[in-house]
Amino acid sequence: MQILDGKTVANAVKEQLITETVAHKNATSHSPHLAAILIGNDGASETYVASKIKNCADVGFKSTLIRFDATATEKEITEAVIKLNEDDDVNGILVQLPLPKHINEAVIINLINPTKDVDGFHPISVGKLVQGLPTFVPATPFGIMLMLQHYQIETAGKHAVVIGRSNIVGRPMSILLSQNTQYGNCTVTLCHSRTKDLEKICAGADIIVAALGIPGFLTADMVKEGAVVIDVGITRVADESKKSGYAIKGDVDFENVAPKCSFITPVPGGVGLMTIAALLKNTLAATSAKQ
Ligand code: NAD
């Protein structure tokens, strides 16, 4: 069993980005610039955005954080996105999800200029992804593909099971794994909350991507010997032994599943780090495309 180490791969991606960013700055006197909009004070969202901002600094990007109270109106958020669309210095825009219930997520995402859509959630980005055209790939599935590539995991002809059909993880993941590309070419089964016989489907899988948000959901009896297991789940579970009062748990029962796997990602230290590295890659791509 080999651990797919998010730290190693993310650092390799970041090293490459640092070199490319220096070259970009020397050529243009401009720094890649990511702008993030954060609404409310959800603890997990605060942590993710803070990490994205820190990672921008690590690779030499500029970043701007625009904060709103949870009571902000859709009009206020709309105006902020339009302003960032029009700002020539800003290359990438992300709106941290989830949004408060009174704000229509689709309205906000559809407003982002597709050339700055570094999260890859705009319908134009999604359409291009489905057609296999160059585009911004949502950061989590993109990060997982970078990981498969780094460890040269063979995927062609394999049966991949993706658990979860969200627009940000499961669905784009299923598309990427099924595409006719070097780390695609899988036969993909996309499972969700209404799937029957999930245990049986998983037990036949060569590759499992668990992205449902239920800690420890994927148990050893659902995994065949030698499978590749990618754990996307991040759930905060109360843990008084931690200073923060919680521990981060993945969707996989790691302790019992890991011994059966050929490769497995840990949580934390796996996909989460790759998500940020992929977002940075998208931001530099947005910057380079503009020049
Ligand atoms: P989501 O809630 O939007 O989607 C969950 C999906 O799981 C749904 O499609 C649902 O049908 C499916 N599901 C729920 N219960 C199920 C069950 N019993 N059996 C089969 N399928 C079931 O979640 P999301 O935004 O896709 O995130 C999923 C998990 O991944 C969460 O824990 C989230 O925090 C985490 N996440 C991690 C990263 C990262 O960088 N590691 C990024 C995004 C999301």
Side-chain angles (χ1 to χ4, degrees):
M1 183 273 292
Q2 186 177 354
I3 297 281
L4 298 172
D5 180 15
K7 196 168 179 188
T8 303
V9 190
N11 282 344
V13 170
K14 283 167 69 179
E15 284 304 320
Q16 179 67 30
L17 287 173
I18 289 169
T19 307
E20 291 173 23
T21 302
V22 168
H24 172 81
K25 281 187 193 171
N26 287 343
T28 64
S29 305
H30 165 268
S31 297
H33 184 176
L34 177 70
I37 296 180
L38 175 61
I39 305 153
N41 346 64
D42 172 71
S45 293
E46 292 266 2
T47 309
Y48 298 145
V49 169
S51 180
K52 288 167 188 176
I53 300 284
K54 182 196 168 293
N55 275 272
C56 279
D58 288 349
V59 296
F61 293 1
K62 205 164 135 183
S63 62
T64 300
L65 173 58
I66 301 170
R67 302 191 64 125
F68 288 95
D69 288 341
T71 54
T73 62
E74 194 169 294
K75 185 163 176 282
E76 285 175 289
I77 310 303
T78 301
E79 283 167 3
V81 172
I82 291 171
K83 215 165 148 195
L84 293 174
N85 280 343
E86 288 169 353
D87 186 340
D88 275 345
D89 192 61
V90 170
N91 304 105
I93 302 171
L94 74 83
V95 180
Q96 186 65 40
L97 304 180
L99 301 182
K101 294 221 168 0
H102 65 279
I103 297 175
N104 186 327
E105 205 169 282
V107 167
I108 301 301
I109 287 172
N110 291 5
L111 254 189
I112 296 173
N113 180 338
T115 66
K116 300 186 180 189
D117 175 37
V118 287
D119 260 340
F121 298 157
H122 191 286
I124 288 185
S125 305
V126 178
K128 286 183 174 175
L129 177 71
V130 171
Q131 294 197 342
L133 299 171
T135 188
F136 298 114
V137 176
T140 301
F142 183 21
I144 293 170
M145 295 308 284
L146 293 171
M147 209 170 211
L148 296 177
Q149 188 183 337
H150 182 95
Y151 286 95
Q152 300 184 345
I153 293 176
E154 248 189 66
T155 55
K158 306 280 181 177
H159 180 205
V161 170
V162 178
I163 314 174
R165 59 180 160 188
S166 72
N167 288 339
I168 68 170
V169 189
R171 193 169 302 281
M173 190 73 241
S174 72
I175 293 165
L176 289 164
L177 286 171
S178 68
Q179 269 167 348
N180 185 2
T181 55
Q182 190 178 358
Y183 293 94
N185 279 319
C186 290
T187 303
V188 179
T189 305
L190 180 58
C191 299
H192 46 78
S193 53
R194 306 292 286 270
T195 298
K196 291 196 173 116
D197 291 331
L198 184 69
E199 292 78 5
K200 210 165 130 195
I201 295 168
C202 288
D206 303 303
I207 299 169
I208 301 176
V209 180
L212 66 161
I214 302 180
F217 178 87
L218 191 79
T219 48
D221 54 315
M222 296 164 78
V223 178
K224 81 172 178 192
E225 288 289 338
V228 176
V229 171
I230 310 286
D231 190 351
V232 182
I234 296 182
T235 306
R236 290 180 172 200
V237 177
D239 183 341
E240 285 178 8
S241 71
K242 305 269 180 204
K243 213 169 120 195
S244 59
Y246 63 83
I248 300 292
K249 294 282 177 205
D251 288 345
V252 178
D253 172 12
F254 184 88
E255 198 184 325
N256 295 305
V257 168
K260 293 183 89 174
C261 296
S262 53
F263 296 94
I264 185 166
T265 62
V267 175
V271 173
L273 299 171
M274 290 311 302
T275 296
I276 296 198
L279 172 71
L280 297 174
K281 241 176 122 59
N282 277 346
T283 304
L284 188 61
T287 309
S288 307
K290 197 187 145 213
Q291 308 310 316

